[in-house]
Amino acid sequence: MTKLTIKVKNLEVTEQKSWAAGVPAVLSAYKNVTTKVGPLKGTKLLTKLNQIEGFDCPGCAWPDPLLKRATFEFCENGAKAVADEATLKRATAAFFGKHSIDDLKTKSDRWLNDQGRLVEPLYSAEGAKYYQPISWEKALNLVANELKKLESPDHAAFYTSGRTSNEAAFLYQLFVRQFGTNNLPDCSNMCHESSGVGLTETIGIGKGSVSLEDLENSEAIFIFGQNPGSNHPRMLSSLQAAKRQGAKIVAINPLDETGLQRFKNPQEIEGVIGSGTALRDLYLPVKINGDVAFLKGLCKVLIERDETGQDVLDKDFITNYCSGFEGFKEDLLAASWDDIELHSGLTQIQINQAADIACASQKTICCWAMGMTQHKNAVANIQLMTNFLMLQGNLGKPGAGVCPVRGHSNVQGDRTMGIWEKPTDSFLNALQQTYDFSVPREYGYDAVETVEAMAQGKLKVLFALGGNFYRAMPDHELTKQALSNCELTVQVSTKLNQSHLYTGKNALILPALGRTEIDRQSSGIQTVTVENSMGVVQTSHGKIPPASDHLKSEIAILAELALLTLPNSKINWQHMRDDYRYIREGIEQVIPGFENFEQRIQQQGEFELPNAVRDERKFSTINGKANFIIHDIESVKVPKGRLLMMSIRSHDQFNTTIYTNNDRYRGIHGSRRVVFLNVDDIDELGLKEGQQVNIHSHWPIEVSTTRTVKQFTVVKYHIPKGCAATYYPETNDLIPLSSVADKSNTPAYKSVVISLEAI
Ligand SMILES: Nc1nc2c(c(=O)[nH]1)N[C@H]1C(S)=C(S)[C@@H](COP(=O)(O)OP(=O)(O)OC[C@H]3O[C@@H](n4cnc5c(=O)[nH]c(N)nc54)[C@H](O)[C@@H]3O)O[C@H]1N2
Ligand SMILES: Nc1nc2c(c(=O)[nH]1)N[C@H]1C(S)=C(S)[C@@H](COP(=O)(O)OP(=O)(O)OC[C@H]3O[C@@H](n4cnc5c(=O)[nH]c(N)nc54)[C@H](O)[C@@H]3O)O[C@H]1N2
Ligand code: SF4
Ligand SMILES: [Mo]
């Protein structure tokens, strides 16, 4: 291990690493699978990961190369996700007999997950201290009866996390809509909702417009608020490919993330013994929430350079395809550099350096993730990135475009399948026509509104298909209270988590098959499909026997629930459960782009969905144009003595699933209860490195302390002054439910005003 800078209790801090992947990543991948799954079974399983005849990675949504695959088509974190699901450990009835729910509440997220796979349905009736096994029949009848009892279908909400397959998602929303509600909150509401909202208004599609090929052939890649080294590790291979063709990379991030500094590709000899490939050409240490100011500065430079005779803007594109340019230009010319520098934390010189890279490129891409979407003005972030690209015509041409990098492996597909509380009329009309029932038209609750409605007693049932709703949401105290108002909460899950402990009056755990497992129904072994971050639909075939004989597939659970809840339904749920091809038939009829669905996946295993921006330079906005949209420079006002905190992921977690307490690239080992601070703030606040602090959050900002988390260790880090970073979900208690992004209602997980109390 490199030089130790702090050691406090379990925590050891070393210097940040300057390169990612290489041999340590390979070792970590194999250690995970061999210890959790066994050497033989584990290694065999990895050879099926992301292969056409194998299963799709349950990790992130990064795409695989189209129609061609290497033997090892995965990263360290994909291997960890697989090992975590395929673990040999089991959380049995005996385990739940030994540990009361109160006892389980004292355990960490990591400990809960480490108990292994859930193996049979479990029930905790009102007042019960323990979970007890229950038969599937009784469990599903209990849910159906509770749903049938409701005065209105709108008194139930149906959450989805992003691992659900297309087929399960389609069947789920069909059931929920025939039941009579659009209350379909999902993890997207906490994630890329701001991207969807921002892009739809600007370019008429809520998805990205680039393919993997575009990324590898672009000349400049701007990466905003994303840490691909940990969260989308195979993106580094694509960035390396782009670099080798001469692309320039700009990283805009309060942290100079290791993965964007240098990459040693473990698939190459050079990556194993050599020094790897330098990735970012320019690093811009923007302040948290300073991106609007930066982007306005960047666009201002481009426009000013063009005004002074340099041929920077793509005038043909602006004239023929865009709307709102004149007002946008006027606003930028009037923007003051003092404001831009103050709010972005960057100098005019740094912004000019970014502009130099943009000006030298004919094909530019913007990539982004949660650093852009989880702020009050997140939609402005997304729209200004898109507008920056539009200035130079970087939409709808090869090597250029917008690239929101999605989180969960099928979060994008779930939306395509209709998991959305605000469905479009055209989707609902097609559903109604195909299945011949009167669909609900009123918008449903998103994730934040679901908690609010539960808190007000308006929801009686929460059904969650995957995920860890309680732990992923802000303000645990409030969310806990809200959940406890429900008559029944149901979690369809693979692993134990805190959402099984903070529940409604009655609670059910329904254990489901995971992505790695063989899904056998009465017609034979089933295939499912997913859609990756770049709009490619591909098949996934589970490869190992289920963790228990009592598991059901998500589809079987939902179809059986539909049969019990909707006895008069004319939809043939049984048929769809027995053979998933019947679900795909429905998808083909309802959702554009899925023509000849079955045939295409049988023949090729994957296909690209149409994308009007990419394929035709067509913008399906209200006015048919790509829109320039003006946004004021405003960032969260942080009173003196306080800091702006972002809650981020470590290298060894997948959202609320914590694999270990280490974050190798940032030099953190043994504990996640750390707060990263700038050295000047440590001095000014009278703190010391290694010191213990309590963290208070302030919301509304003017009001004194409202929420507190205890016992965090101060760690000195390269982070702009005034900014702080902590790990999610340990600090979700600090995040107020009502602090959300304008228009998208996404919790502002990365703009939390805090103060520190030395203890
Ligand atoms: N191994 C692993 N992979 C994952 C996940 C995981 O937990 N573990 N989660 C999956 C999911 S659901 C998602 S959504 C993605 C998340 O992927 P990321 O978005 O990469 O995840 P975060 O850790 O939330 O990191 C956000 C990045 O934004 C930066 N940032 C924060 N605030 C700002 C800001 O105001 N401006 C700018 N420019 N940058 C900022 C942070 O420094 C950090 O580098 O990853 C997916 N993949
Ligand atoms: N502070 C803070 N909070 C955040 C974020 C942040 O950056 N900061 N990020 C937000 C984001 S981007 C997201 S996406 C959400 C994530 O929120 P969720 O998607 O709700 O949470 P996960 O941690 O991904 O869910 C993990 C659980 O899913 C279950 N599971 C895993 N695989 C399967 C499967 O195949 N089938 C079924 N049925 N269940 C399965 C397991 O039981 C596991 O415990 O968190 C959000 N919360
Ligand atoms: S980049 Fe994402 S999808 Fe690809 S192997 Fe890694 S975790 Fe899995
Ligand atoms: Mo996410």
Side-chain angles (χ1 to χ4, degrees):
M1 199 152 63
T2 39
K3 200 175 125 248
L4 209 63
T5 53
I6 319 177
K7 180 158 178 25
V8 185
K9 294 190 216 155
N10 296 333
L11 172 69
E12 294 187 344
V13 182
T14 54
E15 273 167 17
Q16 184 190 353
K17 289 246 180 302
S18 57
W19 53 269
V23 177
V26 179
L27 293 178
S28 162
Y30 282 94
K31 186 174 162 214
N32 263 276
V33 288
T34 49
T35 52
K36 292 187 179 165
V37 191
L40 262 178
K41 192 177 164 195
T43 317
K44 200 167 152 215
L45 197 57
L46 288 186
T47 62
K48 309 287 184 216
L49 177 51
N50 288 330
Q51 300 298 327
I52 305 251
E53 284 306 314
F55 58 92
D56 178 58
C57 177
C60 77
W62 189 253
D64 306 307
L66 207 57
L67 300 176
K68 59 173 197 285
R69 301 281 200 278
T71 317
F72 298 105
E73 201 60 77
F74 59 86
C75 71
E76 173 192 352
N77 281 342
K80 284 186 206 155
V82 167
D84 193 69
E85 180 177 299
T87 172
L88 301 175
K89 287 197 190 162
R90 302 287 179 263
T92 59
F95 166 85
F96 286 99
K98 192 167 142 209
H99 296 280
S100 69
I101 296 170
D102 279 343
D103 176 30
L104 294 173
K105 283 181 183 170
T106 64
K107 309 291 188 190
S108 67
D109 298 289
R110 185 179 168 198
W111 189 92
L112 294 173
N113 178 63
D114 273 352
Q115 301 316 306
R117 287 290 296 276
L118 295 160
V119 287
E120 57 190 311
L122 297 160
Y123 180 50
S124 147
E126 190 166 1
K129 297 207 163 10
Y130 290 82
Y131 267 109
Q132 291 198 325
I134 180 174
S135 71
W136 273 107
E137 196 193 343
K138 277 194 186 145
L140 292 173
N141 267 303
L142 219 138
V143 187
N145 290 339
E146 202 61 47
L147 289 174
K148 285 194 279 191
K149 252 182 16 205
L150 296 177
E151 265 170 47
S152 154
D154 291 330
H155 292 172
F158 299 84
Y159 174 71
T160 315
S161 170
R163 246 181 220 181
T164 295
S165 67
N166 286 335
E167 287 75 4
F170 184 79
L171 185 104
Y172 188 36
Q173 63 79 34
L174 182 62
F175 160 59
V176 170
R177 295 204 162 99
Q178 187 163 51
F179 175 65
T181 182
N182 283 315
N183 285 343
L184 283 158
D186 66 351
C187 67
S188 251
N189 296 146
M190 314 174 205
C191 186
H192 266 293
E193 194 70 56
S194 309
S195 307
V197 171
L199 289 171
T200 303
E201 199 183 349
T202 331
I203 58 169
I205 182 171
K207 301 182 182 183
S209 73
V210 303
S211 65
L212 211 49
E213 205 185 341
D214 288 322
L215 190 72
E216 294 179 3
N217 290 304
S218 73
E219 291 173 3
I221 305 171
F222 284 66
I223 303 172
F224 291 83
Q226 198 200 343
N227 176 22
S230 291
N231 298 321
H232 306 92
R234 280 194 314 153
M235 179 172 168
L236 301 190
S237 315
S238 296
L239 294 177
Q240 181 186 43
K243 280 290 290 192
R244 286 181 172 160
Q245 304 214 49
K248 296 273 189 240
I249 296 177
V250 184
I252 304 99
N253 197 315
L255 306 181
D256 191 4
E257 300 285 20
T258 299
L260 290 174
Q261 293 184 25
R262 185 170 279 279
F263 173 51
K264 295 193 186 183
N265 190 338
Q267 311 243 7
E268 300 175 347
I269 295 288
E270 223 283 304
V272 177
I273 53 170
S275 59
T277 309
L279 292 181
R280 54 142 176 76
D281 297 271
L282 178 64
Y283 165 61
L284 298 176
V286 70
K287 284 206 296 209
I288 295 176
N289 197 224
D291 301 272
V292 164
F294 163 66
L295 280 157
K296 287 190 78 163
L298 180 63
C299 293
K300 181 180 169 79
V301 176
L302 297 188
I303 290 175
E304 283 176 352
R305 287 188 187 181
D306 197 78
E307 292 274 289
T308 55
Q310 297 176 45
D311 191 19
V312 172
L313 305 187
D314 183 340
K315 281 137 209 134
D316 283 348
F317 180 75
I318 294 173
T319 314
N320 295 322
Y321 293 92
C322 302
S323 167
F325 174 68
E326 285 308 321
F328 185 71
K329 174 173 147 185
E330 219 171 283
D331 175 63
L332 289 173
L333 292 178
S336 95
W337 276 110
D338 284 351
D339 270 359
I340 293 169
E341 291 191 332
L342 178 77
H343 289 268
S344 66
L346 301 171
T347 62
Q348 195 172 345
I349 295 172
Q350 286 171 309
I351 298 175
N352 266 288
Q353 288 168 342
D356 291 344
I357 292 179
C359 289
S361 160
Q362 298 294 316
K363 301 184 274 184
T364 302
I365 285 176
C366 286
C367 298
W368 70 90
M370 296 303 100
M372 295 303 261
T373 63
Q374 298 175 334
H375 297 282
K376 178 167 190 299
N377 52 3
V379 171
N381 276 339
I382 281 49
Q383 297 190 326
L384 283 167
M385 272 187 293
T386 316
N387 288 169
F388 153 63
L389 292 170
M390 282 154 55
L391 287 176
Q392 296 182 286
N394 281 312
L395 283 176
K397 70 177 186 190
V402 282
C403 182
V405 183
R406 304 278 164 177
H408 279 285
S409 58
N410 197 38
V411 65
Q412 183 157 320
D414 291 345
R415 266 297 159 89
T416 307
M417 292 299 119
I419 300 290
W420 197 11
E421 77 285 353
K422 296 185 185 67
T424 59
D425 276 337
S426 61
F427 177 85
L428 290 179
N429 293 343
L431 199 66
Q432 180 153 320
Q433 209 171 8
T434 307
Y435 289 100
D436 193 23
F437 68 92
S438 170
V439 295
R441 297 277 167 176
E442 207 179 310
Y443 284 171
Y445 296 130
D446 63 22
V448 166
E449 288 163 350
T450 295
V451 177
E452 287 165 350
M454 288 191 302
Q456 293 159 11
K458 290 186 194 159
L459 280 171
K460 301 278 177 241
V461 178
L462 176 71
F463 185 98
L465 190 59
N468 189 356
F469 183 78
Y470 161 73
R471 195 64 169 141
M473 286 299 285
D475 201 335
H476 288 144
E477 273 313 311
L478 196 149
T479 303
K480 192 183 296 178
Q481 278 303 320
L483 281 160
S484 72
N485 286 343
C486 291
E487 285 305 316
L488 175 69
T489 50
V490 186
Q491 284 285 143
V492 179
S493 306
T494 51
K495 303 289 289 285
L496 182 60
N497 65 44
Q498 292 202 18
S499 294
H500 304 120
L501 312 178
Y502 298 98
T503 63
K505 292 175 189 133
N506 300 282
L508 272 168
I509 303 176
L510 304 180
L513 288 177
R515 191 69 70 69
T516 52
E517 290 165 322
I518 298 165
D519 181 353
R520 190 186 293 276
Q521 302 297 334
S522 65
S523 69
I525 291 177
Q526 304 298 311
T527 297
V528 292
T529 60
V530 293
E531 175 186 341
N532 66 35
S533 202
M534 292 180 178
V536 175
V537 177
Q538 62 199 83
T539 51
S540 181
H541 318 260
K543 287 293 168 193
I544 51 171
S548 139
D549 292 341
H550 302 297
L551 300 186
K552 280 186 191 281
S553 74
E554 291 182 347
I555 291 169
I557 296 171
L558 295 164
E560 285 163 28
L561 182 61
L563 280 166
L564 295 170
T565 313
L566 308 168
N568 300 324
S569 172
K570 286 192 248 125
I571 296 171
N572 197 336
W573 302 102
Q574 232 155 328
H575 221 174
M576 292 195 277
R577 177 199 60 192
D578 295 344
D579 189 339
Y580 299 174
R581 283 180 300 183
Y582 293 111
I583 309 179
R584 285 192 282 276
E585 264 180 18
I587 295 173
E588 179 171 334
Q589 285 178 57
V590 174
I591 303 173
F594 284 84
E595 296 75 21
N596 304 319
F597 190 6
E598 193 66 37
Q599 192 191 340
R600 284 196 283 172
I601 60 165
Q602 292 295 343
Q603 281 171 1
Q604 301 169 332
E606 60 191 353
F607 62 90
E608 265 179 304
L609 287 174
N611 184 306
V613 173
R614 182 179 65 209
D615 307 338
E616 308 165 56
R617 241 192 190 182
K618 195 171 146 214
F619 301 101
S620 309
T621 50
I622 294 170
N623 57 4
K625 300 276 186 188
N627 289 303
F628 284 100
I629 299 177
I630 299 172
H631 290 284
D632 291 337
I633 297 180
E634 47 175 13
S635 44
V636 181
K637 289 187 188 57
V638 185
K640 208 170 152 21
R642 294 183 185 171
L643 304 166
L644 195 60
M645 183 194 87
M646 54 181 177
S647 52
I648 57 174
R649 291 157 171 79
S650 75
H651 190 64
D652 272 5
Q653 73 183 89
F654 190 89
N655 297 339
T656 65
T657 300
I658 311 301
Y659 303 133
T660 78
N661 291 339
N662 305 334
D663 190 8
R664 190 170 82 229
Y665 294 149
R666 298 195 185 106
I668 300 294
H669 314 269
S671 171
R672 296 168 48 87
R673 297 185 80 81
V674 294
V675 51
F676 296 100
L677 298 178
N678 177 292
V679 63
D680 292 342
D681 288 324
I682 296 181
D683 287 348
E684 278 174 32
L685 294 170
L687 300 170
K688 283 203 174 61
E689 209 184 349
Q691 175 162 10
Q692 300 291 294
V693 291
N694 293 337
I695 312 177
H696 307 292
S697 72
H698 305 271
W699 180 263
I701 292 161
E702 299 72 32
V703 176
S704 59
T705 303
T706 49
R707 290 165 189 82
T708 301
V709 291
K710 293 190 173 157
Q711 294 210 309
F712 281 68
T713 306
V714 170
V715 171
K716 186 176 76 182
Y717 206 77
H718 288 289
I719 183 169
K721 189 164 180 315
C723 299
T726 54
Y727 293 123
Y728 140 63
E730 282 77 359
T731 49
N732 280 39
D733 279 325
L734 292 177
I735 297 158
L737 187 75
S738 56
S739 168
V740 292
D742 299 334
K743 291 191 179 172
S744 69
N745 216 27
T746 297
Y749 294 116
K750 294 193 172 31
S751 281
V752 188
V753 176
I754 58 160
S755 61
L756 300 172
E757 174 201 358
I759 48 170

